[in-house]
Amino acid sequence: MGITKKRIDEGLESLAVGSVLSLLPLAVVAYIIAFILLYIPFTCVPMLLYFIWIFFIDKSPKTGTATPFLKNIILWKYYANHFPIKLIKTGELDPKKSYIIGYHPHGVISMGAYGGLASNGAGFSKLFPGITTHLVTLPVNFFIPFIREFHLRMGLCDSSPESLHNVLKSSPGSALVLVVGGAQESLLAEPGKHAVILSTRKGFIRQAVKANADLVPCYAFGENNLFKTIAFSEKSIVYKIQVSKTNKKSTQTKIIITNPKPTT
């Protein structure tokens, strides 16, 4: 059997998805490399300055001002084609306004949010010209050396109220992509199951009102089908540990974007 274009594309699609998934274990590798460089005389001072920059100086995660040039690289096209991810547009987004796109469900690691909204792999910028998306993630992700730069160049920002307000007020057309259910919702991820956490998550509405931003409901059909999961009994020790961790904000496909809902 010869090598066909289809097989090459499939290989590139798998490579693209694997590259994104590898960011999780690479976080540990990044810290190991960084600390090794701290002990090498030639790289000690630059790495020390880099750590000072990360922890005390750089405000990019709270402003979303880093240039998101990685949104358009071809990796995301292959990534989106792997599943595939398809955006279904049911309403217009005015580039003169700002938005909070509420993404459900969280799934295991929100694969659809990366391929469909955080990047242009599924053609978001063509469907919604003038809208710049900023995927919201936990602040801890911006303290991972080297990998934080990838997140910044994808336009990500941290989940603090200050960050949400800054990005929404930064410029017209700014759109926060917020996985509303968070890590707690990820515990509900099971193939074929549709379950979201929303009634206890109202802080993002408060931020939208403060910034005069519209709310955009968004549902990713198929997100929960991407990984097989083990459902533990609510009485089990493992489940109790999971819940205690998510309460402490630990890290733990078709996408329909509906009409924006004004908050005023």
Side-chain angles (χ1 to χ4, degrees):
M1 183 181 296
I3 299 177
T4 63
K5 183 179 184 303
K6 180 180 179 182
R7 290 179 64 85
I8 293 175
D9 287 344
E10 288 175 346
L12 292 173
E13 289 168 11
S14 298
L15 179 63
V17 174
S19 298
V20 176
L21 289 175
S22 68
L23 291 175
L24 296 174
L26 281 177
V28 177
V29 176
Y31 267 112
I32 292 174
I33 293 175
F35 281 111
I36 290 175
L37 293 176
L38 278 175
Y39 283 92
I40 298 176
F42 182 72
T43 57
C44 176
V45 173
M47 279 307 305
L48 184 59
L49 292 175
Y50 182 51
F51 272 115
I52 293 174
W53 170 258
I54 290 175
F55 286 96
F56 303 106
I57 299 177
D58 187 26
K59 301 299 181 182
S60 296
K62 294 188 178 298
T63 60
T65 54
T67 304
F69 63 85
L70 291 180
K71 283 178 175 284
N72 300 309
I73 60 177
I74 196 170
L75 173 141
W76 294 113
K77 180 179 179 181
Y78 287 111
Y79 177 98
N81 288 342
H82 175 80
F83 299 100
I85 295 173
K86 181 180 179 181
L87 293 175
I88 300 176
K89 177 181 177 180
T90 64
E92 297 291 340
L93 298 183
D94 187 348
K96 296 179 181 179
K97 296 182 178 181
S98 57
Y99 302 91
I100 293 182
I101 300 175
Y103 182 93
H104 287 286
H106 185 288
V108 176
I109 47 177
S110 304
M111 300 289 281
Y114 267 99
L117 304 177
S119 72
N120 285 317
F124 182 92
S125 62
K126 292 182 179 180
L127 288 174
F128 303 100
I131 303 298
T132 302
T133 56
H134 300 270
L135 181 61
V136 179
T137 187
L138 294 174
V140 67
N141 289 320
F142 294 103
F143 296 122
I144 303 172
F146 314 124
I147 292 179
R148 73 184 298 274
E149 310 306 330
F150 171 83
H151 293 319
L152 288 172
R153 302 309 162 187
M154 282 295 296
L156 273 65
C157 65
D158 76 34
S159 57
S160 67
E162 176 188 358
S163 301
L164 304 187
H165 183 78
N166 288 341
V167 173
L168 290 173
K169 300 297 288 185
S170 62
S171 61
S174 294
L176 290 170
V177 179
L178 183 63
V179 187
V180 179
Q184 286 184 317
E185 192 173 272
S186 70
L187 298 179
L188 305 177
E190 294 181 32
K193 181 178 179 180
H194 296 275
V196 302
I197 294 177
L198 183 59
S199 61
T200 58
R201 303 293 179 119
K202 300 176 181 178
F204 72 100
I205 299 176
R206 186 182 307 112
Q207 293 302 319
V209 172
K210 288 182 179 179
N212 195 29
D214 288 357
L215 299 175
V216 182
C218 174
Y219 197 89
F221 290 94
E223 180 72 61
N224 282 346
N225 297 335
L226 297 180
F227 297 93
K228 292 182 178 180
T229 57
I230 300 175
F232 295 97
S233 168
E234 293 185 7
K235 297 181 180 180
S236 68
I237 295 177
V238 175
Y239 182 84
K240 291 178 181 179
I241 292 175
Q242 288 178 320
V243 172
S244 68
K245 291 297 183 181
T246 55
N247 285 338
K248 294 178 181 178
K249 300 183 179 180
S250 67
T251 54
Q252 191 348 300
T253 223
K254 287 184 181 177
I255 303 176
I256 293 182
I257 304 177
T258 64
N259 292 314
K261 308 298 182 184
T263 57
T264 56

